[in-house]
Amino acid sequence: MKIIHAKDYADMSRKAANIISAQVILKPDCILGLATGSTPIGAYQQLIKWYEKGDVDFAQVSTYNLDEYRGLLHDDPQSYHFFMRDNFFNHINIDLSRTHVPDGSTTDAAAACAEYDRMVAAAGYPDLQLLGIGNNGHIGFNEPDDHFSAGTHCVDLTESTIEANSRLFDNIDDVPRQAYTMGVQTIMYARMIVIAASGEKKAQAVRDMCFGPVTPSCPASILQLHTNCVVVADEAALSLCPEA
Ligand code: F6R
């Protein structure tokens, strides 16, 4: 793993955006794997600014998002479909028909997940996968477990993830209890992984990811085995990694 030190959230966002923008410039029809949550918002805002200046062109880019809450319609403001349009897609020249997010509105979980796996595989997997990390070391919604997951599947969210994500809902009872997520194996097929982390709350997970044993009890630790994984983390997120 290559660890890139950032000063703070803004610096982390610019550094992550720089890597994504380089990928799009090098391969204009690249496939980006994208994430939601608080972590990538700054990087998306930076990419939007560079798009507006004419420095980066998304016309031929395709995207596959990691995950979606089960049971939310695409227009639900809490859905990741909505999040991606609101925070990124509506502000750049991407062709919306090339953007993909697991279909949380499909109640047939097995069918929704199998279809998403088929699409990601048919596309050839992401050239670059952007990830955030959960306080408990999750990636996508792959929660700590006794095994690493394979393809897209339906998960029960842990209480800690429900609690962490409740900040974005009016009420903790409104947080969906299940989600569809790309599996760890699918994530590992990306040719490059950029995992961003900011803030003290991520410090233990970042330490476990980079320097702990490779174990499904910290799903992000599998990234140690990826041949091209870059961690972009700020001082607070790296505060428990004096060796970094
Ligand atoms: C979101 C996702 C999650 C988040 C993680 C961190 O698509 O896959 O794994 O990256 O929960 O969330 P934030 O960035 O809100 O701290």
Side-chain angles (χ1 to χ4, degrees), residues 35-40 66-67 80 132-134 138-141 167 202:
T36 59
S38 307
T39 307
L66 285 165
D67 43 20
Y80 288 171
I133 182 169
H138 73 217
I139 47 175
F141 273 130
R167 71 191 191 281
K202 301 293 171 72

Side-chain angles (χ1 to χ4, degrees), residues 8-21 35-51 58 83-84 86-88 92 130 196-198 232:
D8 51 20
Y9 180 81
D11 189 31
M12 175 206 75
S13 300
R14 276 194 308 275
K15 286 182 159 71
N18 255 302
I19 299 170
I20 297 166
S21 141
T36 59
S38 307
T39 307
I41 290 179
Y44 294 151
Q45 287 172 347
Q46 181 65 71
L47 288 168
I48 292 166
K49 279 192 198 136
W50 286 332
Y51 159 70
F58 294 92
F83 176 101
M84 289 308 299
D86 199 36
N87 287 289
F88 195 31
I92 56 173
L130 176 64
S198 170
V232 186

Side-chain angles (χ1 to χ4, degrees), residues 25-74:
I25 290 167
L26 284 166
K27 187 177 175 193
D29 61 347
C30 66
I31 299 174
L32 299 179
L34 296 179
T36 59
S38 307
T39 307
I41 290 179
Y44 294 151
Q45 287 172 347
Q46 181 65 71
L47 288 168
I48 292 166
K49 279 192 198 136
W50 286 332
Y51 159 70
E52 288 169 346
K53 282 174 65 185
D55 288 343
V56 57
D57 177 3
F58 294 92
Q60 297 177 63
V61 170
S62 301
T63 65
Y64 287 84
N65 262 75
L66 285 165
D67 43 20
E68 176 60 287
Y69 288 118
R70 184 179 188 189
L72 296 193
L73 299 177
H74 300 180

Side-chain angles (χ1 to χ4, degrees), residues 22-242:
Q23 170 67 74
V24 175
I25 290 167
L26 284 166
K27 187 177 175 193
D29 61 347
C30 66
I31 299 174
L32 299 179
L34 296 179
T36 59
S38 307
T39 307
I41 290 179
Y44 294 151
Q45 287 172 347
Q46 181 65 71
L47 288 168
I48 292 166
K49 279 192 198 136
W50 286 332
Y51 159 70
E52 288 169 346
K53 282 174 65 185
D55 288 343
V56 57
D57 177 3
F58 294 92
Q60 297 177 63
V61 170
S62 301
T63 65
Y64 287 84
N65 262 75
L66 285 165
D67 43 20
E68 176 60 287
Y69 288 118
R70 184 179 188 189
L72 296 193
L73 299 177
H74 300 180
D75 288 336
D76 188 316
Q78 304 293 358
S79 75
Y80 288 171
H81 276 82
F82 188 96
F83 176 101
M84 289 308 299
R85 289 194 304 265
D86 199 36
N87 287 289
F88 195 31
F89 299 153
N90 284 352
H91 310 284
I92 56 173
N93 66 332
I94 199 160
D95 175 351
L96 281 180
S97 70
R98 293 184 202 265
T99 66
H100 308 85
V101 180
D103 187 0
S105 69
T106 313
T107 43
D108 184 343
C113 294
E115 173 58 10
Y116 202 65
D117 264 348
R118 191 199 59 70
M119 286 195 302
V120 183
Y125 299 104
D127 292 291
L128 184 156
Q129 174 68 57
L130 176 64
L131 297 174
I133 182 169
N135 298 347
N136 61 4
H138 73 217
I139 47 175
F141 273 130
N142 295 284
E143 302 282 16
D145 206 339
D146 58 7
H147 63 283
F148 288 111
S149 60
T152 305
H153 58 291
C154 182
V155 289
D156 295 328
L157 302 183
T158 62
E159 282 310 316
S160 86
T161 297
I162 292 168
E163 162 99 38
N165 290 6
S166 66
R167 71 191 191 281
L168 305 168
F169 289 76
D170 290 339
N171 188 314
I172 192 163
D173 295 330
D174 295 340
V175 185
R177 270 27 194 182
Q178 288 187 311
Y180 299 151
T181 182
M182 265 188 207
V184 168
Q185 184 182 31
T186 313
I187 292 171
M188 290 290 281
Y189 283 146
R191 284 173 282 289
M192 179 180 193
I193 293 183
V194 177
I195 181 158
S198 170
E200 225 176 300
K201 281 190 181 158
K202 301 293 171 72
Q204 187 62 50
V206 169
R207 172 160 191 84
D208 293 344
M209 163 174 71
C210 299
F211 299 103
V214 174
T215 163
S217 61
C218 174
S221 64
I222 190 90
L223 300 175
Q224 290 177 33
L225 303 184
H226 195 279
T227 51
N228 192 12
C229 177
V230 176
V231 179
V232 186
D234 67 11
E235 277 172 13
L238 286 170
S239 57
L240 296 179
C241 301

